[in-house]
Structure formats: C-alpha cells, structure tokens
Amino acid sequence: MSKLETNIVIIGGGLIGMTLALGLAKLGLNICLFDQQSLNQTLDQDYDGRCSTIAYGSKLILDHFGIWTSLEPFAQPIVDIRVSDGHINGKTSSYLHYALQDLDPSSVPALGYVIDNQILRHNLWVLIQQYANISCFSPAKPIIAGREENFVLLDWDQKIKTKLVIAADGKKSSTRDAAGIKIYEYFYSQSAIVTTIEHIYPHHGIAFEHFMPAGPFAVLPLLPKNQKNYSSIVWSDQRIKAEEMMKLNPENFSRAIEQRFPWLGSIKAYGKRWIYPLSFLKAEQYIDHRLVVIGDAAHSIHPIAGQGLNLGLRDIECLVKTIDEALKLGLDYGDINILSHYQKLRRQDVMLLSLMTDGLNKLFSTNNPLIRYARDIGLTLVHHNKPVKKLLMKHAMGLTQRTPVIFY
C-alpha cells in the first residue's frame, strides 16, 4: 500500500472544514481534506436549506482568509435587529432594538450578513480548487490507525502520515468518539423548521427574533430576487407541534407563519421545508495527542441568535493563529503543549456563548407570568440604556471575542 504524507489532515468537509483548509493553506501547509459525503450531495440545492448569519466579526475573519470577496455579492446586510417578546395571545409586550445607526455606519457597514449555506459551500469549494496545496477526497472516511509521538497514521485507500488531525465532522463526530473524547449532550424538547418565505413588504435589512412560549421564531432577511422579497425563517417549536406544522400544505403553512409574524404582510412559503431536532453538545476537551476537535464536533448550541457558525469561525481564527505562531517560532504545531494554548483560549468564549443561548431559550420559552414580567422589564431597561445596549451589540457582532496574541 502506498503512503501519502501531508502536514495536516482535516476530517469533515463542511463549512467549517473547508474554511479551515483555506486558512491553513495560506500558511503554506499541505492540507488533506476528507468528507464522507459526496461532493455532489453536499453542493445540491436541497442539501439542508439553511441560511447562516455571519456576524460582522466573522466577516472580518473571512476577509482575512481571502474568502469574503466572493461571498459579498450574495450576502444580505443586516442593518437592524429587533428582538420581541410574544405571548400565547399573539401580543408583543416588550422589545429590544439594535440599529446600525447606534454605532458608526461609516466604519461598520452592517451588524452582520445573511447568506444561503448552499452558496457558502459552493464558493468555498471554488476557492479550494485554486490552492495546489489542498487535496480533497470525497466520499472518503479515513480512520486513525495510530498516534505516535511525532506523527499520526491514518488508514484509507492508502496509508496517510501527518503531524496533526483536525476533526470537523459535526455533532456525531466519529473521529472525536474514536479518540475517546467524552461529550456532554442533551436534547431540547424543540425542533426547528427552516424554510424560505416570499412576502409582500420589504424587510429593509431587518432581522427579527420573536420569542414565543414554545420557542424562538427568527426571520432573517435575504437578498431580493426578481423584484420579490424573501426571508429565511427558523421556527423553533415543541417537537410534536413542529412535526404537525411540517405536514401542513403550503397554503396553511403560510397562514400559520402570518399568524405568528404579521409584520411582513401576506406570506408565501417558498420551496422545501426542513426540520431539525435541537440539542446542546459540548466536548469535554477540544484537544488530544495530535488531535484537535472544532466546530460542531466540539460544541453545538441552540440556534437562538444564530451564533453557531460564528462560534466555529472563531475556532478557526484561533487555531490558524496558534499554528501560525508555532511555525514562526520553529515549534511543532501538533505538539500537545502548543495545542493547549488553543484550548485555553477557546474555552471561555464557548462556555459563555453556550450558557447564554441555553439560558435565553429557557428564559423565553415559558409563559410563567413572573418570569415574563421580569424579562419584559429587562428588555425595556436594556433598550433604553445606550452604553449597555452598545456593548451587547458589539458582542452580538463578534467584536469582543477576537483572538489575542497566542504566545508571550
């Protein structure tokens, strides 16, 4: 059997795996990227139907890696975020309004961006093909055969020798599990319905997060097409209820959306619907001997506030910086002492965001009158306190969690 030698092997060719490959390739490293699904499957328009919210800080990361330029024509800027608290009777009692005008629009052009995941995957794939030092294999699933002191051996169609393996193969990561890394996981009683809607009134670049007792209802603005207005919805509801909604015909489903969110006028469900059971996952550790676990393989959070991909992009920024610093100092970037810097830097950000999203979901997914009264007061106070609101805006934009210098 022939042997392939490379600097780094990335297992998982999704959004995180492909972005990481591009970031590492810019350091001059040879990268092998593997995904167990076929490329035709993952690039298909009907693969998952989701859109991603790219925080402004994440846009800066993608810009640094030379990725954003190809994405910008397809990205809808978010200039306004409106958070509202809805009740069973349909009324809205309180709200929190983040507006770009509260910052400096001349230096920060948008709070964030919304882009279709299929467009993201396609553009990342086009960029990857421009790098001679990235080799892609799919469908392919290499298995770690042994982790020696200075290298890792993997079994595939041929033997692979590398200094570092990075697991980016999602929540059900077989690479993480095979390494014996334990996870903490629990499932919410909710599922999220994802689809695209066409609506009468323009969205004006406004993203809505409407909290209902059964779960948050998010409406994300998309670029208009053919002079028509479109948005993506992420409708979190109790699992049984969500499954019932999936069975509705397009007309009744559209009316159900209008009842929960009447502010965009007449709504027409556009195309296929997807449903995803929601869960929380956190790996006990993000590193092991010559192994790093990133993205959903390391942490998966509630989609409330749309921060999942942004958290993974900050993983990438931190890991690329760690490896870059090690290379500049002539150190072994796969050594556990180097990787421990990465883990130390990522733990706080992941923990804070995990607790925040989990806490927000529990706080708002109830109609307890005492809790409802307290959260209404909280939203109102934050809305009228400009310094606090500005700080929360910068946090939501990913501008307070950027990775510092790694080594001192």
Side-chain angles (χ1 to χ4, degrees):
M1 181 182 289
S2 62
K3 181 182 289 186
L4 171 65
E5 292 197 19
T6 190
N7 297 127
I8 294 178
V9 167
I10 301 172
I11 301 178
L15 299 179
I16 293 298
M18 286 195 285
T19 304
L20 176 61
L22 290 166
L24 293 173
K26 282 188 169 294
L27 304 182
L29 296 168
N30 292 317
I31 310 299
C32 282
L33 177 65
F34 291 86
D35 195 85
Q36 64 180 355
Q37 299 183 78
S38 71
L39 183 64
N40 289 338
Q41 181 181 2
T42 57
L43 293 180
D44 188 271
Q45 182 66 47
D46 290 336
Y47 179 63
D48 70 7
R50 288 172 289 188
C51 293
S52 289
T53 303
I54 307 294
Y56 185 74
S58 295
K59 177 262 183 188
L60 297 179
I61 295 172
L62 295 172
D63 208 16
H64 178 72
F65 292 152
I67 297 171
W68 183 251
T69 301
S70 67
L71 298 178
E72 190 168 19
F74 307 100
Q76 166 64 50
I78 298 173
V79 298
D80 206 319
I81 299 174
R82 298 185 184 180
V83 180
S84 56
D85 182 12
H87 302 154
I88 287 176
N89 58 13
K91 295 181 180 180
T92 298
S93 63
S94 59
Y95 67 94
L96 178 60
H97 181 197
Y98 293 154
L100 184 61
Q101 64 188 22
D102 293 334
L103 301 174
D104 180 5
S106 63
S107 59
V108 182
L111 302 176
Y113 302 84
V114 182
I115 187 167
D116 189 299
N117 279 5
Q118 193 271 341
I119 292 174
L120 266 173
R121 280 190 294 273
H122 175 77
N123 280 272
L124 289 171
W125 173 241
V126 169
L127 290 172
I128 279 175
Q129 292 177 87
Q130 299 173 14
Y131 284 84
N133 55 333
I134 303 179
S135 301
C136 298
F137 306 92
S138 73
K141 188 177 180 181
I143 304 297
I144 296 177
R147 287 183 282 163
E148 307 299 329
E149 183 178 352
N150 297 313
F151 60 89
V152 182
L153 285 176
L154 299 99
D155 283 334
W156 180 52
D157 287 350
Q158 55 186 315
K159 290 283 187 180
I160 307 169
K161 182 179 180 182
T162 186
K163 293 177 71 68
L164 179 65
V165 174
I166 302 172
D169 47 348
K171 288 196 292 187
K172 298 179 181 180
S173 172
S174 58
T175 310
R176 175 201 64 213
D177 294 345
I181 296 177
K182 296 180 180 179
I183 60 170
Y184 171 70
E185 182 178 25
Y186 66 84
F187 287 86
Y188 295 102
S189 60
Q190 303 163 327
S191 290
I193 300 172
V194 178
T195 193
T196 299
I197 59 172
E198 178 187 332
H199 42 87
I200 296 296
Y201 302 139
H203 51 59
H204 299 297
I206 302 171
F208 297 90
E209 187 89 57
H210 190 54
F211 290 106
M212 300 293 290
F217 186 94
V219 182
L220 307 174
L222 295 175
L223 286 178
K225 291 182 286 187
N226 302 321
Q227 299 182 327
K228 294 181 179 180
N229 304 305
Y230 295 95
S231 293
S232 172
I233 69 163
V234 183
W235 177 355
S236 300
D237 210 320
Q238 295 299 308
R239 288 194 177 182
I240 294 176
K241 181 69 173 178
E243 289 168 1
E244 291 175 354
M245 292 295 103
M246 287 291 290
K247 296 175 184 177
L248 293 178
N249 63 39
E251 183 177 348
N252 289 336
F253 183 71
S254 299
R255 300 295 78 75
I257 295 173
E258 285 182 13
Q259 290 175 5
R260 285 158 179 77
F261 198 81
W263 293 278
L264 292 175
S266 179
I267 285 172
K268 177 182 177 182
Y270 182 81
K272 186 177 176 181
R273 295 170 230 163
W274 290 260
I275 185 168
Y276 299 95
L278 301 181
S279 65
F280 172 94
L281 180 147
K282 184 180 180 299
E284 195 173 78
Q285 60 195 62
Y286 306 149
I287 64 170
D288 202 72
H289 180 65
R290 298 202 171 271
L291 175 68
V292 179
V293 182
I294 70 167
D296 281 355
H299 43 71
S300 180
I301 61 177
H302 196 284
I304 192 170
Q307 289 297 316
L309 178 62
N310 296 295
L311 194 60
L313 291 174
R314 293 201 291 274
D315 286 351
I316 293 171
E317 179 187 40
C318 185
L319 184 56
V320 171
K321 282 187 176 182
T322 302
I323 292 173
D324 187 28
E325 290 291 328
L327 289 169
K328 289 175 179 176
L329 294 172
L331 302 175
D332 179 359
Y333 54 80
D335 185 85
I336 193 69
N337 295 308
I338 300 297
L339 300 180
S340 64
H341 287 275
Y342 164 78
Q343 177 169 263
K344 180 180 178 181
L345 288 166
R346 291 305 299 141
R347 277 196 185 281
Q348 184 177 9
D349 182 26
V350 172
M351 181 60 71
L352 286 175
L353 192 57
S354 298
L355 291 174
M356 183 194 77
T357 53
D358 185 65
L360 283 174
N361 183 57
K362 290 176 179 176
L363 176 65
F364 284 94
S365 296
T366 178
N367 211 42
N368 181 296
L370 293 177
I371 297 176
R372 188 180 68 202
Y373 180 70
R375 75 192 183 205
D376 287 353
I377 291 177
L379 282 175
T380 302
L381 289 175
V382 171
H383 178 70
H384 293 288
N385 189 316
K386 289 186 177 180
V388 172
K389 186 163 73 167
K390 188 173 289 188
L391 178 63
L392 290 175
M393 286 177 67
K394 290 184 176 180
H395 184 82
M397 294 167 68
L399 296 177
T400 60
Q401 309 97 347
R402 302 300 299 280
T403 304
V405 175
I406 306 299
F407 302 114
Y408 302 91

